[in-house]
Amino acid sequence: MLRVDKLSHSFSNGPEITPVLSNIDFNVNKGDMVALLGSSGSGKSTLLNLMAGLMKPTEGNIFIAGHNIVKMSENQLAEFRRKHIGFIFQAYELISNLTVRENIELPLIFQSVSSSERKKKAMSLLEQVGIPDKGLMFPSQLSGGQQQRVSIARSLITEPSIIFADEPTGNLDTKTEEEIIAILKRLNREMNTTFMIVTHEREVAVHTKRIITLKDGNLVQEIPQTPSTNEILVEEGVTT
Ligand SMILES: Nc1ncnc2c1ncn2[C@@H]1O[C@H](COP(=O)(O)OP(=O)(O)O)[C@@H](O)[C@H]1O
Ligand SMILES: [Mg+2]
């Protein structure tokens, strides 16, 4: 589903070059739910933005559903992103003057999907994320947790190959965070959606099947999750 191949990235600001990611290699299978951990500044968002095709790496390749997104032109990439990649932001990024349902339908407006079909899909997703009665409201009328549910529904409407989430619970209280993680887990299980979730919290990570940890731009640790690994991590009180 996803293959990251010898990926390196540096930001250049005039003569100043900041290396951020160094020779990152890993695979994600269809239906996996992977947590990407690391302290602030370790390069998590940079890696996620590269994998989502929001910028090009300095070196290396990224394959999604067999296509190398690094080699695509801007136009090819824009179309590929619309069809294959979903993104969930920490700050929801909903459009304030569109209703909840219109926000969810938005990714389909660029594809030739009829308005009745769009509506049907949006209503079904609203149900999936547990807010079936909020379709006609505006984002500002919803709580943070509800807005993140809308953003999750929006990311799913194109049935993407993979969904990237950058600290999706970073702005939420603990109880709401647990609800959002439960929704992501259920979608992963029931719809077999592939998720890669950036977090700096070990508690979120113990819910996922796999943990990848970045330290100073290097992949330092990869733990395939099994129930027993979860228990060990919890018992040892491992934190980041
Ligand atoms: N556009 C940019 N220009 C220069 N440096 C950047 C840019 N974006 C991020 N960085 C630097 O890259 C490093 C990793 O940032 P980031 O990927 O946002 O880390 P994380 O999401 O793990 O907190 C940081 O040192 C940050 O300052
Ligand atoms: Mg970040």
Side-chain angles (χ1 to χ4, degrees), residues 92-236:
Y92 329 127
E93 311 290 342
L94 300 173
I95 296 177
S96 60
N97 60 351
L98 296 181
T99 64
V100 161
R101 215 189 75 210
E102 287 165 342
N103 266 282
I104 297 172
E105 289 181 24
L106 201 59
L108 288 185
I109 305 259
F110 303 104
Q111 300 178 15
S112 48
V113 179
S114 71
S115 68
S116 61
E117 182 68 13
R118 286 202 304 266
K119 181 177 174 187
K120 203 171 119 206
K121 283 191 149 184
M123 297 302 279
S124 152
L125 284 167
L126 274 170
E127 186 118 23
Q128 291 264 14
V129 298
I131 45 169
D133 52 343
K134 303 287 185 215
L136 296 177
M137 295 197 131
F138 288 90
S140 63
Q141 298 173 299
L142 303 183
S143 70
Q146 290 169 335
Q147 289 187 58
Q148 195 59 298
R149 288 167 192 248
V150 176
S151 142
I152 293 168
R154 177 184 58 187
S155 76
L156 283 161
I157 200 156
T158 54
E159 296 167 35
S161 306
I162 186 163
I163 294 181
F164 298 106
D166 197 352
E167 302 195 30
T169 61
N171 289 1
L172 303 173
D173 60 76
T174 310
K175 181 171 166 286
T176 313
E177 168 171 36
E178 281 167 9
E179 289 167 9
I180 295 293
I181 293 299
I183 290 172
L184 295 176
K185 273 178 77 174
R186 182 167 48 74
L187 293 167
N188 169 249
R189 203 174 52 236
E190 288 176 4
M191 298 171 84
N192 204 28
T193 310
T194 311
F195 283 101
M196 182 120 191
I197 303 172
V198 170
T199 173
H200 50 239
E201 286 161 75
R202 184 65 79 171
E203 275 121 86
V204 176
V206 297
H207 292 289
T208 63
K209 290 175 194 147
R210 243 174 102 193
I211 300 177
I212 290 176
T213 306
L214 280 184
K215 190 170 184 200
D216 304 327
N218 294 289
L219 198 163
V220 290
Q221 183 188 27
E222 204 189 321
I223 308 173
Q225 289 288 89
T226 61
S228 58
T229 331
N230 278 353
E231 281 157 25
I232 292 163
L233 286 169
V234 172
E235 275 167 21
E236 288 180 353

Side-chain angles (χ1 to χ4, degrees), residues 40-41 43-46 90 166-167 198:
S40 183
K44 305 181 299 294
S45 292
T46 304
Q90 178 172 357
D166 197 352
E167 302 195 30
V198 170

